[in-house]
Amino acid sequence: MALDLWQIDAFTDRPYRGNPAAVCLLHERKSDEWMQNVAAEMNLAETAFLLRTEEGFGLRWFTPAIEVDLCGHATLASAHFLWEEGHLKPRATARFETRSGLLTAHRKDGWITLDFPATPATTEAPPPGLVEALGKTPTWFAKSRFDYLAVYDDEATIRALTPDLALLSRFPVRGVIVTGPGSTAENDFVSRFFAPAAGVPEDPVTGSAHCTLGPYWGDRTGKQDLVGYQASKRGGTVKVGLRGDRCLLAGQAVTVR
């Protein structure tokens, strides 16, 4: 049977921007090794594997190196794929059974909104060598369930960072989020995300990182609804809605043909 595999750019409304994900619709269960090999072959930040279930779809995410517990852009890409290819009715809610529990997605006016668990960060001292790896001392540092969070004073600093990725890969976390306030009225904050230990040197747009960024910037600004821009080379916009212990992440997606 031919492999049902699509490439979709997430958190963007234009091809070749945002974060590319491969989406693979499975017709039968596959081994972990097989899925990891496919993800390595695709060599994108994430490859998503979907398998229909009674309640919706099972969803797993693999980088070229490891399986991860939560991924925003590949979930957004998966939902986009299911609607665009007719596997879900246009107004249906996408339901995903994942390692992070049940995740849902719905779409309206060209935007897809994901319902994800919030992963707020708590203050802690940077581990030895982390500041040197980043190349600049943050004004605040914390750790979430998955990642380190380093806060800086301005957008220019975020864009100019050139961290030592070999050093960053030694730390026992999924990745390092760096963030600062946005410099325009369109964006409440900007960020970048480095995950060399997970096989992703710099992720173009990281939806799940906004489950940490949203609570931080919500506390700092007093806002429940924010707009973040991930200032990678490809770039992408993520709208974040804070709803108790959940984060609503909204973005757009396009299929690359």
Side-chain angles (χ1 to χ4, degrees):
M1 181 177 292
L3 193 61
D4 199 348
L5 191 64
W6 297 73
Q7 183 167 323
I8 294 164
D9 290 340
F11 293 113
T12 182
D13 60 355
R14 293 180 293 162
Y16 317 118
R17 297 291 187 271
N19 201 350
V23 178
C24 181
L25 180 63
L26 301 176
H27 303 285
E28 60 183 12
R29 293 190 181 278
K30 295 289 189 179
S31 70
D32 293 2
E33 181 182 12
W34 183 90
M35 289 187 283
Q36 188 64 75
N37 285 337
V38 171
E41 182 73 12
M42 296 306 299
N43 200 33
L44 298 173
E46 305 285 348
T47 298
F49 295 91
L50 293 164
L51 181 65
R52 188 179 288 276
T53 67
E54 291 184 2
E55 300 298 324
F57 290 86
L59 173 59
R60 295 174 70 178
W61 311 279
F62 287 78
T63 77
I66 62 170
E67 182 174 9
V68 298
D69 291 331
L70 188 65
C71 178
H73 88 277
T75 305
L76 186 81
S78 296
H80 171 85
F81 162 78
L82 291 173
W83 283 310
E84 288 295 303
E85 297 304 313
H87 297 288
L88 284 177
K89 294 181 179 179
R91 296 183 181 274
T93 295
R95 297 172 61 85
F96 301 111
E97 300 164 26
T98 79
R99 289 170 62 160
S100 289
L102 177 66
L103 306 176
T104 62
H106 67 273
R107 66 175 179 173
K108 182 179 180 181
D109 299 330
W111 288 78
I112 296 172
T113 300
L114 310 175
D115 186 340
F116 269 36
T119 55
T122 54
T123 305
E124 67 172 52
L130 193 281
V131 171
E132 289 78 5
L134 289 173
K136 188 173 180 63
T137 303
T139 57
W140 189 72
F141 189 83
K143 186 177 185 296
S144 72
R145 175 184 171 190
F146 301 118
D147 307 308
Y148 289 135
L149 175 66
V151 180
Y152 295 91
D153 286 334
D154 56 71
E155 179 173 332
T157 297
I158 300 302
R159 290 182 178 273
L161 283 175
T162 55
D164 186 323
L165 296 176
L167 286 180
L168 283 187
S169 70
R170 301 176 185 177
F171 294 94
V173 290
R174 181 185 66 168
V176 180
I177 309 165
V178 297
T179 189
S183 61
T184 67
E186 287 78 17
N187 302 311
D188 295 292
F189 61 90
V190 297
S191 67
R192 291 170 69 192
F193 185 81
F194 306 99
V200 184
E202 180 172 1
D203 197 33
V205 192
T206 316
S208 60
H210 288 73
C211 296
T212 298
L213 290 161
Y216 171 77
W217 287 105
D219 287 345
R220 181 162 163 175
T221 64
K223 294 182 177 182
Q224 293 295 300
D225 295 288
L226 305 111
V227 179
Y229 182 76
Q230 194 152 329
S232 66
K233 183 177 180 180
R234 292 174 65 103
T237 296
V238 184
K239 295 181 179 180
V240 185
L242 303 175
R243 304 294 184 266
D245 63 353
R246 308 293 294 182
C247 281
L248 304 182
L249 309 177
Q252 297 170 288
V254 293
T255 302
V256 178
R257 301 186 185 279

mmCIF file of all heavy atoms in Angstrom, residues 170-201:
data_model
loop_
_atom_site.group_PDB
_atom_site.id
_atom_site.type_symbol
_atom_site.label_atom_id
_atom_site.label_comp_id
_atom_site.label_asym_id
_atom_site.label_seq_id
_atom_site.Cartn_x
_atom_site.Cartn_y
_atom_site.Cartn_z
ATOM 1 N N ARG A 170 23.399 19.429 25.434
ATOM 2 C CA ARG A 170 23.807 18.636 26.596
ATOM 3 C C ARG A 170 22.820 18.720 27.761
ATOM 4 O O ARG A 170 22.938 17.953 28.719
ATOM 5 C CB ARG A 170 25.190 19.099 27.070
ATOM 6 C CG ARG A 170 26.278 18.963 26.006
ATOM 7 C CD ARG A 170 27.591 19.533 26.513
ATOM 8 N NE ARG A 170 28.618 19.521 25.458
ATOM 9 C CZ ARG A 170 29.843 20.026 25.625
ATOM 10 N NH1 ARG A 170 30.183 20.573 26.790
ATOM 11 N NH2 ARG A 170 30.714 19.986 24.623
ATOM 12 N N PHE A 171 21.856 19.643 27.680
ATOM 13 C CA PHE A 171 20.965 19.840 28.822
ATOM 14 C C PHE A 171 19.759 18.901 28.737
ATOM 15 O O PHE A 171 19.223 18.652 27.652
ATOM 16 C CB PHE A 171 20.525 21.301 28.899
ATOM 17 C CG PHE A 171 21.663 22.226 29.195
ATOM 18 C CD1 PHE A 171 22.359 22.861 28.171
ATOM 19 C CD2 PHE A 171 22.084 22.431 30.498
ATOM 20 C CE1 PHE A 171 23.430 23.686 28.435
ATOM 21 C CE2 PHE A 171 23.160 23.254 30.777
ATOM 22 C CZ PHE A 171 23.833 23.886 29.761
ATOM 23 N N PRO A 172 19.301 18.369 29.880
ATOM 24 C CA PRO A 172 18.266 17.329 29.895
ATOM 25 C C PRO A 172 16.848 17.885 29.785
ATOM 26 O O PRO A 172 15.986 17.619 30.626
ATOM 27 C CB PRO A 172 18.494 16.649 31.246
ATOM 28 C CG PRO A 172 18.971 17.760 32.140
ATOM 29 C CD PRO A 172 19.831 18.630 31.241
ATOM 30 N N VAL A 173 16.600 18.667 28.742
ATOM 31 C CA VAL A 173 15.260 19.203 28.472
ATOM 32 C C VAL A 173 14.979 19.041 26.982
ATOM 33 O O VAL A 173 15.892 18.805 26.187
ATOM 34 C CB VAL A 173 15.141 20.695 28.857
ATOM 35 C CG1 VAL A 173 15.174 20.888 30.364
ATOM 36 C CG2 VAL A 173 16.226 21.529 28.171
ATOM 37 N N ARG A 174 13.709 19.169 26.616
ATOM 38 C CA ARG A 174 13.365 19.094 25.200
ATOM 39 C C ARG A 174 14.013 20.225 24.419
ATOM 40 O O ARG A 174 14.539 20.036 23.320
ATOM 41 C CB ARG A 174 11.847 19.148 25.032
ATOM 42 C CG ARG A 174 11.377 19.054 23.590
ATOM 43 C CD ARG A 174 9.876 19.234 23.462
ATOM 44 N NE ARG A 174 9.437 20.576 23.819
ATOM 45 C CZ ARG A 174 8.219 21.056 23.579
ATOM 46 N NH1 ARG A 174 7.315 20.271 23.004
ATOM 47 N NH2 ARG A 174 7.896 22.285 23.924
ATOM 48 N N GLY A 175 13.942 21.463 24.985
ATOM 49 C CA GLY A 175 14.480 22.610 24.280
ATOM 50 C C GLY A 175 14.576 23.827 25.167
ATOM 51 O O GLY A 175 14.255 23.791 26.364
ATOM 52 N N VAL A 176 15.026 24.923 24.572
ATOM 53 C CA VAL A 176 15.168 26.207 25.272
ATOM 54 C C VAL A 176 14.362 27.251 24.517
ATOM 55 O O VAL A 176 14.595 27.493 23.323
ATOM 56 C CB VAL A 176 16.643 26.640 25.364
ATOM 57 C CG1 VAL A 176 16.753 27.972 26.098
ATOM 58 C CG2 VAL A 176 17.475 25.569 26.064
ATOM 59 N N ILE A 177 13.413 27.871 25.211
ATOM 60 C CA ILE A 177 12.612 28.965 24.671
ATOM 61 C C ILE A 177 13.279 30.274 25.077
ATOM 62 O O ILE A 177 13.600 30.461 26.260
ATOM 63 C CB ILE A 177 11.181 28.959 25.235
ATOM 64 C CG1 ILE A 177 10.526 27.588 25.097
ATOM 65 C CG2 ILE A 177 10.334 30.041 24.576
ATOM 66 C CD1 ILE A 177 9.268 27.431 25.959
ATOM 67 N N VAL A 178 13.474 31.169 24.132
ATOM 68 C CA VAL A 178 13.926 32.522 24.463
ATOM 69 C C VAL A 178 12.830 33.484 24.018
ATOM 70 O O VAL A 178 12.209 33.303 22.972
ATOM 71 C CB VAL A 178 15.275 32.858 23.795
ATOM 72 C CG1 VAL A 178 16.361 31.937 24.313
ATOM 73 C CG2 VAL A 178 15.199 32.771 22.277
ATOM 74 N N THR A 179 12.584 34.513 24.816
ATOM 75 C CA THR A 179 11.459 35.396 24.527
ATOM 76 C C THR A 179 11.719 36.807 25.033
ATOM 77 O O THR A 179 12.519 37.023 25.953
ATOM 78 C CB THR A 179 10.161 34.849 25.152
ATOM 79 O OG1 THR A 179 9.045 35.607 24.695
ATOM 80 C CG2 THR A 179 10.206 34.891 26.670
ATOM 81 N N GLY A 180 11.025 37.754 24.407
ATOM 82 C CA GLY A 180 11.074 39.150 24.815
ATOM 83 C C GLY A 180 9.834 39.853 24.309
ATOM 84 O O GLY A 180 9.060 39.297 23.514
ATOM 85 N N PRO A 181 9.592 41.092 24.747
ATOM 86 C CA PRO A 181 8.407 41.820 24.294
ATOM 87 C C PRO A 181 8.481 42.150 22.817
ATOM 88 O O PRO A 181 9.560 42.378 22.266
ATOM 89 C CB PRO A 181 8.430 43.099 25.155
ATOM 90 C CG PRO A 181 9.868 43.269 25.541
ATOM 91 C CD PRO A 181 10.420 41.878 25.684
ATOM 92 N N GLY A 182 7.324 42.161 22.157
ATOM 93 C CA GLY A 182 7.266 42.544 20.762
ATOM 94 C C GLY A 182 7.521 44.028 20.582
ATOM 95 O O GLY A 182 7.230 44.832 21.470
ATOM 96 N N SER A 183 8.049 44.384 19.421
ATOM 97 C CA SER A 183 8.384 45.790 19.168
ATOM 98 C C SER A 183 7.311 46.508 18.359
ATOM 99 O O SER A 183 7.445 47.695 18.070
ATOM 100 C CB SER A 183 9.726 45.883 18.427
ATOM 101 O OG SER A 183 9.649 45.225 17.180
ATOM 102 N N THR A 184 6.242 45.801 17.971
ATOM 103 C CA THR A 184 5.158 46.424 17.213
ATOM 104 C C THR A 184 3.834 46.152 17.910
ATOM 105 O O THR A 184 3.723 45.267 18.761
ATOM 106 C CB THR A 184 5.088 45.863 15.774
ATOM 107 O OG1 THR A 184 4.694 44.482 15.827
ATOM 108 C CG2 THR A 184 6.429 45.984 15.075
ATOM 109 N N ALA A 185 2.813 46.902 17.510
ATOM 110 C CA ALA A 185 1.492 46.736 18.115
ATOM 111 C C ALA A 185 0.855 45.400 17.749
ATOM 112 O O ALA A 185 -0.051 44.936 18.436
ATOM 113 C CB ALA A 185 0.575 47.888 17.671
ATOM 114 N N GLU A 186 1.342 44.755 16.681
ATOM 115 C CA GLU A 186 0.736 43.504 16.235
ATOM 116 C C GLU A 186 1.095 42.323 17.126
ATOM 117 O O GLU A 186 0.347 41.346 17.194
ATOM 118 C CB GLU A 186 1.180 43.183 14.799
ATOM 119 C CG GLU A 186 0.537 44.052 13.725
ATOM 120 C CD GLU A 186 1.176 45.432 13.645
ATOM 121 O OE1 GLU A 186 2.306 45.587 14.180
ATOM 122 O OE2 GLU A 186 0.559 46.342 13.065
ATOM 123 N N ASN A 187 2.230 42.404 17.826
ATOM 124 C CA ASN A 187 2.710 41.260 18.598
ATOM 125 C C ASN A 187 2.958 41.636 20.051
ATOM 126 O O ASN A 187 3.679 42.600 20.336
ATOM 127 C CB ASN A 187 4.009 40.722 17.986
ATOM 128 C CG ASN A 187 3.843 40.306 16.538
ATOM 129 O OD1 ASN A 187 2.919 39.589 16.204
ATOM 130 N ND2 ASN A 187 4.735 40.786 15.681
ATOM 131 N N ASP A 188 2.378 40.850 20.959
ATOM 132 C CA ASP A 188 2.628 41.075 22.383
ATOM 133 C C ASP A 188 4.015 40.600 22.783
ATOM 134 O O ASP A 188 4.622 41.150 23.707
ATOM 135 C CB ASP A 188 1.578 40.343 23.218
ATOM 136 C CG ASP A 188 0.176 40.891 23.001
ATOM 137 O OD1 ASP A 188 -0.067 42.038 23.419
ATOM 138 O OD2 ASP A 188 -0.651 40.183 22.406
ATOM 139 N N PHE A 189 4.511 39.569 22.125
ATOM 140 C CA PHE A 189 5.836 39.043 22.448
ATOM 141 C C PHE A 189 6.415 38.341 21.227
ATOM 142 O O PHE A 189 5.694 37.996 20.281
ATOM 143 C CB PHE A 189 5.775 38.081 23.639
ATOM 144 C CG PHE A 189 4.910 36.859 23.408
ATOM 145 C CD1 PHE A 189 5.438 35.696 22.867
ATOM 146 C CD2 PHE A 189 3.560 36.877 23.744
ATOM 147 C CE1 PHE A 189 4.648 34.578 22.655
ATOM 148 C CE2 PHE A 189 2.759 35.763 23.540
ATOM 149 C CZ PHE A 189 3.311 34.609 22.990
ATOM 150 N N VAL A 190 7.717 38.140 21.260
ATOM 151 C CA VAL A 190 8.404 37.351 20.237
ATOM 152 C C VAL A 190 9.163 36.235 20.941
ATOM 153 O O VAL A 190 9.418 36.291 22.148
ATOM 154 C CB VAL A 190 9.371 38.199 19.395
ATOM 155 C CG1 VAL A 190 8.627 39.276 18.628
ATOM 156 C CG2 VAL A 190 10.459 38.809 20.276
ATOM 157 N N SER A 191 9.538 35.226 20.172
ATOM 158 C CA SER A 191 10.266 34.103 20.761
ATOM 159 C C SER A 191 11.088 33.397 19.697
ATOM 160 O O SER A 191 10.913 33.618 18.495
ATOM 161 C CB SER A 191 9.290 33.106 21.404
ATOM 162 O OG SER A 191 8.493 32.482 20.412
ATOM 163 N N ARG A 192 11.985 32.538 20.173
ATOM 164 C CA ARG A 192 12.656 31.542 19.333
ATOM 165 C C ARG A 192 12.769 30.271 20.159
ATOM 166 O O ARG A 192 12.615 30.311 21.393
ATOM 167 C CB ARG A 192 14.037 32.038 18.868
ATOM 168 C CG ARG A 192 13.937 33.189 17.869
ATOM 169 C CD ARG A 192 15.286 33.829 17.595
ATOM 170 N NE ARG A 192 16.175 32.941 16.841
ATOM 171 C CZ ARG A 192 17.479 33.181 16.677
ATOM 172 N NH1 ARG A 192 18.035 34.264 17.222
ATOM 173 N NH2 ARG A 192 18.227 32.358 15.965
ATOM 174 N N PHE A 193 13.037 29.145 19.479
ATOM 175 C CA PHE A 193 13.055 27.862 20.186
ATOM 176 C C PHE A 193 14.169 26.990 19.631
ATOM 177 O O PHE A 193 14.226 26.731 18.426
ATOM 178 C CB PHE A 193 11.707 27.149 20.022
ATOM 179 C CG PHE A 193 11.589 25.872 20.800
ATOM 180 C CD1 PHE A 193 11.286 25.894 22.150
ATOM 181 C CD2 PHE A 193 11.783 24.649 20.184
ATOM 182 C CE1 PHE A 193 11.172 24.716 22.881
ATOM 183 C CE2 PHE A 193 11.674 23.461 20.899
ATOM 184 C CZ PHE A 193 11.368 23.494 22.254
ATOM 185 N N PHE A 194 15.042 26.538 20.533
ATOM 186 C CA PHE A 194 16.189 25.717 20.153
ATOM 187 C C PHE A 194 16.064 24.351 20.823
ATOM 188 O O PHE A 194 15.926 24.269 22.049
ATOM 189 C CB PHE A 194 17.491 26.403 20.565
ATOM 190 C CG PHE A 194 17.622 27.810 20.050
ATOM 191 C CD1 PHE A 194 17.336 28.902 20.859
ATOM 192 C CD2 PHE A 194 18.011 28.043 18.735
ATOM 193 C CE1 PHE A 194 17.459 30.197 20.386
ATOM 194 C CE2 PHE A 194 18.129 29.342 18.248
ATOM 195 C CZ PHE A 194 17.843 30.426 19.072
ATOM 196 N N ALA A 195 16.142 23.282 20.020
ATOM 197 C CA ALA A 195 15.980 21.932 20.569
ATOM 198 C C ALA A 195 16.972 20.958 19.941
ATOM 199 O O ALA A 195 16.591 19.920 19.403
ATOM 200 C CB ALA A 195 14.553 21.451 20.358
ATOM 201 N N PRO A 196 18.274 21.249 20.011
ATOM 202 C CA PRO A 196 19.247 20.357 19.380
ATOM 203 C C PRO A 196 19.268 18.957 19.981
ATOM 204 O O PRO A 196 19.574 17.987 19.277
ATOM 205 C CB PRO A 196 20.578 21.087 19.577
ATOM 206 C CG PRO A 196 20.350 22.001 20.744
ATOM 207 C CD PRO A 196 18.923 22.419 20.649
ATOM 208 N N ALA A 197 18.938 18.822 21.268
ATOM 209 C CA ALA A 197 18.924 17.494 21.887
ATOM 210 C C ALA A 197 17.826 16.611 21.304
ATOM 211 O O ALA A 197 17.905 15.387 21.360
ATOM 212 C CB ALA A 197 18.755 17.614 23.401
ATOM 213 N N ALA A 198 16.790 17.240 20.745
ATOM 214 C CA ALA A 198 15.680 16.509 20.134
ATOM 215 C C ALA A 198 15.846 16.385 18.623
ATOM 216 O O ALA A 198 14.921 15.946 17.937
ATOM 217 C CB ALA A 198 14.357 17.191 20.455
ATOM 218 N N GLY A 199 16.994 16.785 18.106
ATOM 219 C CA GLY A 199 17.236 16.687 16.673
ATOM 220 C C GLY A 199 16.734 17.862 15.875
ATOM 221 O O GLY A 199 16.657 17.800 14.651
ATOM 222 N N VAL A 200 16.402 18.987 16.559
ATOM 223 C CA VAL A 200 15.866 20.172 15.893
ATOM 224 C C VAL A 200 16.702 21.379 16.333
ATOM 225 O O VAL A 200 16.436 21.964 17.395
ATOM 226 C CB VAL A 200 14.385 20.406 16.239
ATOM 227 C CG1 VAL A 200 13.833 21.595 15.461
ATOM 228 C CG2 VAL A 200 13.566 19.157 15.977
ATOM 229 N N PRO A 201 17.717 21.777 15.575
ATOM 230 C CA PRO A 201 18.584 22.882 16.016
ATOM 231 C C PRO A 201 17.800 24.146 16.376
ATOM 232 O O PRO A 201 17.935 24.666 17.490
ATOM 233 C CB PRO A 201 19.507 23.092 14.822
ATOM 234 C CG PRO A 201 19.566 21.751 14.159
ATOM 235 C CD PRO A 201 18.192 21.177 14.316
#
